[in-house]
Amino acid sequence: MIDAEDRQEPRFPAEKEGAAKQELRNRLDQAIRGRAGELKGIAGGACGGDILFHELCIERGITTEMYLALPAEEFKKASVSFAGKDWDERFDKLKEKLPFYILPEQKKDRSRNVWERANLWMLDKALSEGGRNMTLLALWDGKGGDGDGGTEHMVQIAKEQGARIEIIDINKL
């Protein structure tokens, strides 16, 4: 996610948005050139990498779906609105344009939080639809997150499943 204005230790400062978007664009263009069949994007809807990814998929004619860990308005409050009105509007536009899914409520196993469960859900969905051609494209600084279920968790579980992983190091942008 884009850093909140008051973030003490920067991870993805707003001024890196353009460079992140360009690198995501480059990686998607590489995927298009090397594809064996139709491409499909799956991502959350958080401000930053998720929204940029969906916008770029749309630009390139790649089918993409948004997977939300919480009902849309709750998700927006938790993972979008703190970054400003522009991100809220971009989220709303994507929500209108894309198929989006809400993580089903978990009644039995509460050992994982909603963010970890959302990562597992998205990875399972990607693997169930021909995961042999799946690549996790992660915009990440290589550090642990502020809580459970962030990018570090997604990279870890994707590695465990043998997925191809491409890291875009935010520190190098």
Side-chain angles (χ1 to χ4, degrees), residues 116-136:
E116 291 171 317
R117 289 192 314 107
N119 281 346
L120 289 162
W121 177 49
M122 284 187 282
L123 182 60
D124 184 59
K125 180 68 174 170
L127 292 171
S128 72
E129 293 190 3
R132 293 176 305 279
N133 294 320
M134 189 206 113
T135 299
L136 172 65

Side-chain angles (χ1 to χ4, degrees), residues 1-72:
M1 291 190 289
I2 288 284
D3 292 343
E5 285 185 22
D6 61 350
R7 184 173 179 88
Q8 295 296 315
E9 183 183 334
R11 296 189 68 188
F12 185 3
E15 62 266 14
K16 289 193 175 191
E17 178 187 347
K21 185 173 187 174
Q22 184 58 50
E23 188 56 31
L24 281 165
R25 180 180 287 119
N26 294 343
R27 301 293 179 102
L28 284 173
D29 288 346
Q30 288 171 6
I32 290 168
R33 284 190 299 273
R35 77 174 173 203
E38 186 176 340
L39 294 177
K40 180 178 181 180
I42 294 175
C47 61
D50 290 348
I51 288 176
L52 289 170
F53 176 79
H54 289 302
E55 291 171 342
L56 288 164
C57 283
I58 291 168
E59 278 180 21
R60 277 148 179 69
I62 299 170
T63 300
T64 187
E65 298 175 345
M66 189 162 43
Y67 286 73
L68 304 179
L70 300 166

